[in-house]
Amino acid sequence: MNPAARPGIYVLWLRCTTEGERPIGRLGTLVLQPGYYAYVGSAFGPGGLGARIRRHLRKSKPLHWHIDHLRRVTDIEAIWYAHGSRSLEHRWAARLSRLPGARIPLPGFGSSDCRCATHLFHFEKMPQPFGEAVLRHLGLE
Ligand SMILES: [Zn+2]
């Protein structure tokens, strides 16, 4: 199978440079703040991660998921992904919530069909992709 078509999970890092309010479907209103939004999602449908990420890369498209509303007014800074099981999606959401500076901008965002408080977090500064312990281990810090 084409590796890009394999299923998996991902984190979209979206850079926001504006303030304002953005309605997110029926969920409520997101008060935009400059910084970075991290959104955790999964792609287990046809086309796998590749198809889903290509969709996120397009700014203009029908508004289907909560994230589509936010994507309209932000730019993609980075994408982390892994081929793995669905449960990893919720574990990553829990991990992100514990990173220094993590804030929940709108409870329920992206988590309508799971038990997580949210799949969207806001950070003023983008966290390092590798923890300090890893950087020390690699001698990079
Ligand atoms: Zn979840």
Side-chain angles (χ1 to χ4, degrees):
M1 185 194 275
N2 173 357
R6 288 171 57 195
I9 63 140
Y10 57 89
V11 179
L12 288 186
W13 286 94
L14 301 168
R15 186 163 45 88
C16 178
T17 55
T18 56
E19 293 181 8
E21 295 193 342
R22 181 81 199 177
I24 307 294
R26 279 168 291 174
L27 182 66
T29 300
L30 182 67
V31 177
L32 292 173
Q33 294 200 339
Y36 297 89
Y37 289 95
Y39 170 76
V40 191
S42 62
F44 286 85
L49 276 168
R52 180 61 59 81
I53 286 170
R54 274 194 299 278
R55 186 178 189 283
H56 285 310
L57 288 171
R58 279 187 284 123
K59 206 161 190 166
S60 198
K61 65 205 159 214
L63 299 171
H64 180 63
W65 287 295
H66 293 153
I67 188 63
D68 295 341
H69 297 265
L70 181 58
R71 178 68 187 99
R72 283 262 169 108
V73 291
T74 53
D75 291 305
I76 292 184
E77 179 77 12
I79 301 170
W80 302 349
Y81 72 87
H83 298 295
S85 78
R86 227 175 253 275
S87 65
L88 203 54
E89 180 186 6
H90 314 294
R91 291 216 302 273
W92 277 19
R95 284 262 175 111
L96 284 169
S97 76
R98 291 196 295 267
L99 288 179
R103 207 174 54 79
I104 294 180
L106 184 59
F109 192 109
S111 61
S112 314
D113 50 11
C114 67
R115 301 170 76 174
C116 301
T118 181
H119 277 202
L120 183 78
F121 303 90
H122 179 269
F123 296 86
E124 279 183 17
K125 291 182 187 159
M126 198 174 141
Q128 293 291 327
F130 301 104
E132 284 179 20
V134 175
L135 293 177
R136 269 197 295 276
H137 182 69
L138 296 172
L140 298 174
E141 197 182 57

